Structure formats: structure tokens, C-alpha cells
Amino acid sequence: MGFMNRDIVSIRDFTRDDLESIFGLARRMENEGYDRGMLRGKRVSLLFYEPSTRTRLSFQAAAQSLGADTVWFAGVEGTSVMKGETLKDTIETVANYADAIVIRHPYDGAARWAAEITTRRAARGEKKVPVINGGDGRNEHPTQTMLDLYTIAQSQGRIDGLTIGMVGDLKYGRTVHSLAYALGMYNCRIRLVAPDQLQMPPHVLSYLSSRGVECTLHTSIDEIIGEADILYMTRIQKERFPDENEYNRVRGLYRLTRKTLQPAKPSMRVMHPLPRVDEISIDVDDDARSYYFKQAGNGVPIRAALLAMVLGGIS
Ligand code: NCD
């Protein structure tokens, strides 16, 4: 399927070939540099209803590297959302101002709804404005997964055959939902480390088992650290807990330190979508196995490749 004007809502909408073509273009851009003429005259709108540092800034950097400009808000303070404007009306409006919309929203399914709104708009004879999901509630974060897979392949030379541990808040963490769905397309072993109440949701587990993925559940990092090729740490998603007492029971439960890392292979890499709170101690930053800041850097080539494909029809 071509990428021109395609909505990027769920990682499940992509095949392994689709992902490989994004990685190929991202690699080319990293090696050969960005062509500032590629998206000249295009405008990307960034609607961030929730806090963001990496996703918003790397999308903006990516757009600008290809010559596109951006219009955006970061937080609803100062927007008409404060006056009670619905998501539908905001999207209907912004679709007039931009060639693509990147949206981050606290509600699961908000990006799918936004994509439906611009599709209906196109049915009325307007131009289709593709919607890119920058994270919807606790549901998905597909562009994060694209850069995560790119990072895994970059750091290990492959994705197939690896043992990948995911640690922390696997219930509310949208990055690990999308990542697990994507890994179901590869031939990996998955190790899920979380307290029982924050384990991976059943819909993800049953998908993995339907794909025949070897996946085991754990409560301690020590159980998997020796065999992992990738240790994907996550933040406990405080803002998603219905009750603060529940959060207080699990906060600070996992903390990766130099000592915990000792049994890990020298080739193992620690990833984290960031922001980190206290789940990776800062002395791990100087360990050769830490890879999370390099991972964050990969947001620019991946998002530039995506924008080039969606807005420029580049392949
Ligand atoms: C993540 C998110 O927003 O889901 N951040 C990111 O985009 N890199 C992870 C998090 O907030 O914990």
C-alpha cells in the first residue's frame, strides 16, 4: 500500500514490508542528509493535548529539516478547547490550515476519530488530510514503535531472533502496546516484567499467542536480565491511574542500576521511550549498554521519513 495521504493510527495497520520501507528511507536520510526542498510548501499541524518533549520536538525538527513549516499547540491552555470546543470541530478547522495533522490526546481512540473526521471531510470533496497518532491515551503510540524497531535493528543488527524484555507499566504504557503488536510480526522472544496489576492487557497477550510468539510473564528484572538482548524500561504512567493510592503501591518498584545490570550481556542495550522518573538510575547513562538517548535521537530520521512518505509520496 502506498503511503501518500495515509493515516498513521495503529501499528497494526502496517506490514513488516511497510516498516522496512520507512526504515530504509530513514537510513538514507541519516546517511545522505535531509533535502530541504522535499516538503517545501507543505504545512504540518501538531495538536498536543498532552505533555510531550520528544514526540513534538522531533516531529517539528523532522518537518523543518525537509522544508515544511508547522503550526501547533502544546497543551490546551490557550486554545478553544478551554471554551468547550469538541475534537471534531478542532480537527475540521485545522484541516483547513495544514497538509497533515499530528495529534496526541488523552483519550484512547482519539487519533482514529480524528482520521475518520478528515476522511469524511474528503468525502465532501475537500482534500484528505492524513492524521498521525502521536499517542492516544493508554492505547497506542505507533511512531514511537517505528523508532523503537529502528533502534533495535541499529543496535543489534537485526530484530528477528532477539530476546526482548519490557519492564514496568505494561498496562497503561501505550509504547509497549504498539511495540508488542509490532514484534508479533518478527520472530522474537518476549519477556514481560511487571507487577500483576500492571501486566500487559489480555488483548495484546492473546494477539502474541495467536502469532505463536514465545512470551513469558515475570515480576523481577533479575529473572530475565541475563538472556535479554534489549531491556525496554518504561515509566509508571501516574496520570493514567484512576486512584492515587494504587499508584503509590507500585511507584519506584523497578529501578535499573549498575548492579542490576551486572549479569547482562555486553551486547545488551537498555532502551526507554523517556521521560524517565526513577526507573533507571543515572549512573546507568554512562554504561556502554545504555541506548535511550540515541533512541530518542532516532525520532528525527524516522519521523522525517514518515512525513516524506505521507506528504511527499516519496518511497
Ligand atoms: C511516552 C508516551 O508519551 O507515551 N513518551 C514518548 O512519547 N517518548 C512514554 C511516557 O510518557 O512514559
Side-chain angles (χ1 to χ4, degrees):
M1 191 185 188
F3 272 77
M4 190 69 191
N5 283 342
R6 187 165 166 186
D7 297 312
I8 315 289
V9 171
S10 166
I11 200 72
R12 282 176 272 180
D13 301 335
F14 293 84
T15 63
R16 199 171 149 153
D17 281 348
D18 288 335
L19 296 173
E20 294 300 331
S21 59
I22 299 166
F23 304 156
L25 182 55
R27 248 172 241 130
R28 234 163 52 225
M29 288 177 165
E30 272 203 295
N31 294 334
E32 294 165 20
Y34 299 96
D35 171 1
R36 287 196 168 262
M38 199 175 258
L39 295 181
R40 187 166 299 135
K42 300 284 186 185
R43 179 167 296 142
V44 179
S45 153
L46 307 162
L47 309 184
F48 278 67
Y49 290 75
E50 276 197 332
S52 170
T53 299
R54 277 148 289 272
T55 305
R56 186 172 67 82
L57 295 184
S58 64
F59 259 117
Q60 199 161 6
Q64 288 171 1
S65 305
L66 300 178
D69 59 24
T70 57
V71 287
W72 53 271
F73 62 74
V76 295
E77 191 78 32
T79 74
S80 286
V81 176
M82 300 304 285
K83 299 178 180 172
E85 183 164 70
T86 62
L87 179 61
K88 177 165 193 296
D89 290 1
T90 304
I91 296 293
E92 290 274 9
T93 304
V94 173
N96 295 307
Y97 305 154
D99 302 292
I101 294 175
V102 181
I103 182 171
R104 168 170 290 188
H105 198 281
Y107 293 164
D108 300 19
R112 180 71 71 195
W113 173 223
E116 235 175 86
I117 292 162
T118 69
T119 302
R120 287 187 203 175
R121 186 176 171 276
R124 300 197 301 258
E126 307 283 347
K127 114 182 128 72
K128 165 66 185 170
V129 177
V131 170
I132 301 177
N133 185 1
D136 62 321
R138 60 201 163 156
N139 185 33
E140 278 217 49
H141 195 345
T143 69
Q144 177 72 41
T145 293
M146 290 168 186
L147 80 90
D148 290 344
L149 295 173
Y150 184 75
T151 303
I152 293 171
Q154 180 184 64
S155 67
Q156 301 291 345
R158 64 198 166 110
I159 299 175
D160 283 316
L162 299 179
T163 300
I164 298 182
M166 298 183 210
V167 180
D169 188 345
L170 309 182
K171 178 180 182 183
Y172 295 120
R174 53 196 173 198
T175 67
V176 281
H177 301 159
S178 293
L179 181 59
Y181 273 113
L183 289 175
M185 291 188 275
Y186 292 82
N187 184 13
C188 294
R189 283 173 297 277
I190 298 182
R191 305 287 177 253
L192 302 174
V193 182
D196 290 342
Q197 64 270 43
L198 295 182
Q199 253 306 348
M200 194 63 95
H203 65 93
V204 182
L205 293 176
S206 53
Y207 166 80
L208 290 174
S209 102
S210 77
R211 301 283 310 183
V213 176
E214 191 208 304
C215 172
T216 53
L217 308 186
H218 306 264
T219 51
S220 151
I221 298 177
D222 301 337
E223 294 167 31
I224 65 140
I225 188 85
E227 65 164 331
D229 297 299
I230 293 286
L231 193 68
Y232 192 99
M233 299 294 296
T234 63
R235 173 179 71 88
I236 307 286
Q237 309 281 296
K238 180 176 186 202
E239 67 278 25
R240 311 270 180 235
F241 281 71
D243 162 13
E244 198 169 333
N245 291 326
E246 221 181 291
Y247 168 72
N248 286 330
R249 274 197 288 277
V250 288
R251 67 187 294 184
L253 205 56
Y254 296 111
R255 192 171 159 81
L256 189 68
T257 61
R258 281 204 172 228
K259 185 158 175 285
T260 340
L261 259 186
Q262 253 168 23
K265 303 180 205 175
S267 62
M268 192 273 265
R269 291 293 174 266
V270 181
M271 292 174 59
H272 191 310
L274 302 176
R276 114 178 102 182
V277 182
D278 56 3
E279 57 279 359
I280 302 179
S281 97
I282 58 163
D283 61 4
V284 173
D285 297 0
D286 298 320
D287 189 289
R289 288 166 289 199
S290 78
Y291 213 77
Y292 27 92
F293 293 121
K294 182 99 175 81
Q295 175 188 3
N298 285 336
V300 177
I302 282 293
R303 290 175 171 129
L306 253 187
L307 291 175
M309 293 167 92
V310 170
L311 279 176
I314 314 284
S315 55

